[in-house]
Amino acid sequence: MMKRIMAVFALIAVFAVIGSASAGTLDDVKAKGFVQVGVNGDLFGFGKPDEKGVWKGLDVDTGRAIAAAVFGDADKIKFTPLTAVTRFTALQSGEIDVLCRNATRTLSRETALGLNFAQVNYYDGQGFLVPKKLGVKSAKELDGAAVCVLPGTTTELNVADYFRSTGMKMKPVVIENTAELANAFFAGRCDALTSDASQLAGTRAVAPNPDDYIILPEIISKEPLAPAVRHGDDQWFDIVNFSVLAMIEAEEMGITSKNVDEMLKNTDPKVQRFLGVSPGNGQALGLDEKFAYHIVKLVGNYGEVFERNVGKDTSLKIERGLNALWTDGGLMYSPPFK
């Protein structure tokens, strides 16, 4: 009898944990009526207000996709600009619901910091931006250089490792704010600026004269950038994860913001399940069955988001590369929506 009672208590404890993990952020988000998203604030192409104060960027659109999934309205969202130092504390403390701020997924961040990273929304790598007048063609020519770098980032450790491994020396110029760091570089306080290659492209795009600067060919690290949520809320993690994956899946299926209404009539079972014509996916996430439809209609598929924010026709001029679909030689790949 005692063993049976103990077994019952054990089951109750398990269900209590499951319940506390599954009911949390989504309920809070619905109660306040918007998703609070932590973003960069100073990174052109990823997270920065335009001259009219409208937030734009690949990370911004990732946040809008989450809002579209939850509310069927991509504008039910508020943005919190965060530095590299404050971003994880803001998420841990509950100040924000999700972090969409060009953050690299690492082992220590997923464990020691108590975070969960969702699907990567940009595969990146660290590089170096230098003035053309410096006459440098390779990172291996930077021995003794003053290097601008953000603190509290994987960038700071990577660049120290790179210089140590190549037997070179550097003089770090550490500034916390992204915009101030860029201004210091443009003002000549350092010989090189190191960061993710995408961030370097965004920095160069807003330079007084972008053609005066080049990104060196060496990529010295892997930087899988992804949205992050707190540990312990599986439902919210699933929602954030599949919001990103929905954009990737839509591109692979040829569903765009322009043809998504017509695709509702498509008889392909995979398309019907994806767009919520056939029920199941929405219920599994605790969302409206047409959550993926809302994402594509209001934000676009991954290709649309990439091209309008950082693609070859923007001032950043970034090629898809690793961020192409797996069918085109890239790493973007979604599990089935079923």
Side-chain angles (χ1 to χ4, degrees):
M1 177 64 71
M2 183 58 68
K3 288 183 179 179
R4 193 171 298 172
I5 292 172
M6 293 299 291
V8 170
F9 279 129
L11 284 172
I12 291 172
V14 169
F15 285 121
V17 171
I18 292 172
S20 65
S22 62
T25 309
L26 178 60
D27 291 340
D28 292 342
V29 165
K30 286 183 174 180
K32 64 189 177 187
F34 59 88
V35 183
Q36 192 77 44
V37 181
V39 290
N40 190 301
D42 287 316
L43 184 54
F44 184 72
F46 286 82
K48 183 181 175 69
D50 64 13
E51 63 278 1
K52 296 180 181 178
V54 178
W55 283 91
K56 291 185 177 179
L58 190 144
D59 283 335
V60 167
D61 279 344
T62 299
R64 294 181 70 244
I66 297 165
V70 174
F71 295 108
D73 185 341
D75 294 326
K76 288 193 173 181
I77 189 169
K78 292 185 179 180
F79 298 102
T80 299
L82 298 167
T83 68
V85 173
T86 62
R87 55 185 167 171
F88 298 126
T89 304
L91 181 58
Q92 292 165 329
S93 68
E95 180 185 347
I96 58 175
D97 303 310
V98 58
L99 180 68
C100 297
R101 191 202 176 282
N102 56 298
T104 301
R105 180 184 183 184
T106 70
L107 183 150
S108 60
R109 290 173 177 176
E110 290 234 20
T111 53
L113 295 187
L115 308 180
N116 282 132
F117 284 83
Q119 165 65 33
V120 171
N121 68 343
Y122 193 93
Y123 288 96
D124 211 343
Q126 185 174 332
F128 296 91
L129 180 68
V130 298
K132 285 183 179 178
K133 66 181 181 181
L134 197 63
V136 170
K137 302 297 182 184
S138 167
K140 294 177 182 178
E141 301 173 40
L142 292 175
D143 190 19
V147 181
C148 278
V149 61
L150 286 169
T153 61
T154 56
T155 304
E156 190 176 19
L157 177 60
N158 291 339
V159 71
D161 287 347
Y162 177 74
F163 273 81
R164 189 179 302 112
S165 66
T166 54
M168 298 191 298
K169 294 183 179 180
M170 61 171 281
K171 302 168 187 173
V173 178
V174 181
I175 299 174
E176 181 177 338
N177 182 274
T178 303
E180 291 177 9
L181 187 76
N183 289 336
F185 171 67
F186 294 141
R189 286 185 56 190
C190 43
D191 303 305
L193 172 64
T194 186
S195 189
D196 298 342
S198 62
Q199 186 160 334
L200 298 179
T203 300
R204 183 176 61 181
V206 297
N209 188 352
D211 290 338
D212 287 346
Y213 302 90
I214 59 169
I215 298 175
L216 299 178
E218 287 85 0
I219 296 296
I220 67 171
S221 70
K222 294 184 293 184
E223 306 294 333
L225 310 180
V229 298
R230 292 176 291 278
H231 268 174
D233 192 337
D234 291 345
Q235 183 184 27
W236 185 243
F237 169 78
D238 289 341
I239 289 169
V240 172
N241 192 40
F242 277 94
S243 292
V244 180
L245 288 168
M247 293 188 284
I248 297 169
E249 180 76 347
E251 182 181 9
E252 183 175 342
M253 298 175 80
I255 304 173
T256 70
S257 58
K258 295 179 176 59
N259 71 13
V260 67
D261 286 322
E262 186 64 27
M263 293 295 281
L264 287 171
K265 305 171 189 175
N266 193 294
T267 58
D268 186 331
K270 291 186 293 185
V271 174
Q272 291 182 330
R273 280 195 299 269
F274 179 73
L275 294 178
V277 177
S278 298
N281 289 338
Q283 181 181 6
L285 291 170
L287 301 176
D288 185 274
E289 291 295 350
K290 288 191 175 181
F291 80 93
Y293 164 84
H294 293 309
I295 290 173
V296 180
K297 177 69 175 179
L298 300 173
V299 183
N301 67 32
Y302 182 78
E304 291 178 285
V305 169
F306 185 99
E307 292 301 337
R308 74 165 166 260
N309 288 301
V310 301
K312 58 183 181 299
D313 293 329
T314 69
S315 57
L316 276 73
K317 297 179 171 53
I318 298 176
E319 298 289 339
R320 286 293 292 270
L322 295 177
N323 296 293
L325 293 177
W326 67 284
T327 50
D328 296 325
L331 297 178
M332 288 299 174
Y333 181 104
S334 172
F337 273 63
K338 62 181 179 181

